[in-house]
Amino acid sequence: MSRVPQWLGRLGAGLSEMGERLDERRAEVEQEHTGPGPERSAEPVPAAGPGPEPEHVTVVPARPDPAQAVPWGVRVAAEAGWRVLVLAGTVWVLMKVISAVQLVVLAFVAALLITALLQPTVARLRRYGLPRGPATALTAILGFVIMGLIGWFVTWQVMENIDNLSNQIQAGIDDLRKWLLNSPFHVTDKQINQIAKSLRDAIGANTDQITSAGLEGVTVIVEALTGILLTMFSTLFLLYDGRRIWEWTLKLVPAAARPGVAGAGPRAWRTLTAYVRGTVIVAMIDAIFIGLGIYFLNVPMAVPLAVFIFLFAFIPLVGAVVSGALAVVVALVTQGVFTAVMTLVVVLAVQQIEGHILQPFILGRAVRVHPLAVVLSVAAGGLVAGIGGAVVAVPLVAVTNTVVGYLRQYAREAALRQTQRQPAGATAVAGTPAALAVTAAPAEPSAPAVPPGTTPPSTGTLPPAPEGT
């Protein structure tokens, strides 16, 4: 019985020695696969006791951040999309507000255009020594009197020639009917009578609508008179106190953006002044030469038609087409096909000279707008606010183009000035714009130091606002 414990002790010692050898062999194999590494700790490895082998555990990778899982292009599109939606909502609300006070907005914009036309006269009178009040009053009275005389002259000419024009139109319709009967289009007398009967029936069926339109015309006249009074009142104060109004408006702008807006304002005003002045000159040239052409062609009411051509010239592209078509129609129904064709030739010739020579020479590059932008802006302005919107659409686009261009240049110059003010050897902080992410060059010994917050001599200072703005 004494030999059993001794045998069990030798068996346990043999098993322990075998376990140590297995551990040493396992360590050698791991070192061969992993290569040389830091020395392992000398702590004894516990011997694996008898028992089942541990099961294989599958490692599940952690889920990534949802924002990181979205592709970069989709994230950029989403970021841009919600900003576009915010801008679209802002524009929609702004259009609703403008539609609610459309009369006031159009009157103020018309006052701005008239002020841009009359302000150089006020500035010239002040240079001659006339005080601001009398200079403003004299310019405003003279300008409104001239515009009133133009309107009275057009009305007078139409009323004087309406009877003669009616007879000529009737004779022209008879001539047109005879021409259609003898033309190669094979139009019969029955077809012409049917067309005339359809027109009479249409007029008779819409008598109620025509009457209601006439009643609405009274409201339109009242609104027109109200708009004229608002325009005159606004023009008077813009001419007299435009500078202080502009300075008060600048106080509404955040302080960080105020220097840029202060520099963009005078440039926008110069663009608007150049546009209005150039448009008036071009419209006068169109009216004079087209009026002379239709006068020598014996077209009736040549002077009122010339005035209409002058007024419609303030609507780019569309106004020239409408006024030219009106002159051709009057020539057709009063003087015949040949005179209408000659009137069309005169209108097209003058408009081609105006579009390719006069406008680039008179308006210059300061107010040059792409034809596509002109067409789209006129169409959008007409849909939003009718004829008034079509008139103010192009100057608004020209002014916006000038302001955006200046602000872009101002931002580049501000970034350059900030880079120049950095000490030698300093680098821009990460996250700043690309224009600032450069190492500042060491300043030349001969270059004078620029105090912080001032403008370097090379960039110049912002010009003062015009006298009348």
Side-chain angles (χ1 to χ4, degrees), residues 107 183 212 229 316 362:
S183 66
S212 62
L229 291 177
I362 296 174

Side-chain angles (χ1 to χ4, degrees), residues 210-442:
I210 295 173
T211 304
S212 62
L215 294 177
E216 292 178 358
V218 178
T219 306
V220 171
I221 292 175
V222 174
E223 291 181 354
L225 292 177
T226 305
I228 291 173
L229 291 177
L230 286 174
T231 301
M232 295 175 63
F233 192 78
S234 302
T235 302
L236 188 62
F237 278 95
L238 287 174
L239 286 173
Y240 180 76
D241 218 8
R243 179 183 290 273
R244 280 190 288 185
I245 293 174
W246 169 246
E247 291 174 355
W248 177 84
T249 306
L250 282 179
K251 295 179 182 179
L252 304 177
V253 180
R258 195 171 298 165
V261 176
R267 288 165 174 81
W269 182 253
R270 284 198 293 269
T271 299
L272 183 63
T273 304
Y275 174 84
V276 175
R277 190 184 308 168
T279 303
V280 169
I281 295 174
V282 171
M284 288 182 62
I285 294 174
D286 284 354
I288 290 173
F289 284 97
I290 295 178
L292 289 175
I294 61 179
Y295 175 78
F296 286 113
L297 290 173
N298 293 325
V299 177
M301 292 201 308
V303 177
L305 286 174
V307 176
F308 277 116
I309 291 171
F310 173 80
L311 296 177
F312 276 95
F314 286 90
I315 306 177
L317 298 179
V318 179
V321 174
V322 173
S323 59
L326 179 62
V328 172
V329 169
V330 173
L332 176 64
V333 298
T334 57
Q335 299 296 325
V337 178
F338 177 76
T339 305
V341 172
M342 295 304 298
T343 303
L344 179 61
V345 171
V346 171
V347 170
L348 292 178
V350 174
Q351 289 180 355
Q352 289 299 314
I353 295 174
E354 170 246 320
H356 294 86
I357 299 176
L358 296 180
Q359 281 193 355
F361 178 74
I362 296 174
L363 296 180
R365 299 184 61 87
V367 293
R368 183 172 296 177
V369 182
H370 196 275
L372 179 60
V374 172
V375 173
L376 295 179
S377 60
V378 170
L383 291 175
V384 173
I387 296 178
V391 171
V392 303
V394 176
L396 179 62
V397 171
V399 168
T400 303
N401 184 32
T402 300
V403 171
V404 171
Y406 172 78
L407 291 179
R408 187 184 299 114
Q409 180 182 1
Y410 178 81
R412 288 197 298 263
E413 292 179 356
L416 181 61
R417 289 196 298 268
Q418 185 173 353
T419 304
Q420 292 175 350
R421 285 199 297 267
Q422 290 178 354
T427 56
V429 182
T432 55
L436 304 181
V438 294
T439 303

Side-chain angles (χ1 to χ4, degrees), residues 28-246:
E28 291 177 358
V29 172
E30 290 179 356
Q31 186 174 4
E32 289 178 359
H33 284 286
T34 58
E39 295 182 357
R40 297 181 180 271
S41 59
E43 297 179 359
V45 179
E53 291 289 336
E55 298 180 357
H56 178 70
V57 179
T58 304
V59 179
V60 179
R63 293 184 177 181
D65 186 7
Q68 300 296 330
V70 179
W72 175 254
V74 177
R75 294 175 62 186
V76 172
E79 293 285 339
W82 73 260
R83 288 176 171 84
V84 170
L85 289 178
V86 171
L87 290 177
T90 304
V91 172
W92 184 82
V93 173
L94 183 61
M95 290 296 102
K96 286 294 183 181
V97 174
I98 291 176
S99 299
V101 291
Q102 180 177 344
L103 179 63
V104 178
V105 173
L106 289 180
F108 183 74
V109 173
L112 281 177
L113 296 177
I114 298 174
T115 304
L117 180 63
L118 300 180
Q119 188 270 331
T121 305
V122 176
R124 189 175 296 109
L125 291 177
R126 292 203 62 193
R127 285 196 297 268
Y128 290 155
L130 199 64
R132 178 185 297 178
T136 301
L138 182 61
T139 304
I141 292 173
L142 185 61
F144 288 125
V145 165
I146 292 176
M147 286 185 281
L149 288 176
I150 292 175
W152 171 81
F153 179 76
V154 172
T155 305
W156 174 64
Q157 285 289 315
V158 172
M159 296 302 294
E160 284 290 325
N161 296 277
I162 190 67
D163 295 333
N164 187 24
L165 180 63
S166 177
N167 296 330
Q168 290 182 342
I169 289 176
Q170 185 63 40
I173 291 175
D174 294 337
D175 294 339
L176 181 61
R177 179 174 181 174
K178 294 178 182 178
W179 181 80
L180 288 174
L181 291 174
N182 299 324
S183 66
F185 298 106
H186 304 290
V187 179
T188 62
D189 195 9
K190 182 179 179 181
Q191 292 175 336
I192 296 176
N193 292 333
Q194 184 64 33
I195 294 174
K197 183 177 180 300
S198 300
L199 291 175
R200 286 194 299 268
D201 294 341
I203 294 174
N206 297 321
T207 302
D208 295 337
Q209 296 180 1
I210 295 173
T211 304
S212 62
L215 294 177
E216 292 178 358
V218 178
T219 306
V220 171
I221 292 175
V222 174
E223 291 181 354
L225 292 177
T226 305
I228 291 173
L229 291 177
L230 286 174
T231 301
M232 295 175 63
F233 192 78
S234 302
T235 302
L236 188 62
F237 278 95
L238 287 174
L239 286 173
Y240 180 76
D241 218 8
R243 179 183 290 273
R244 280 190 288 185
I245 293 174
W246 169 246

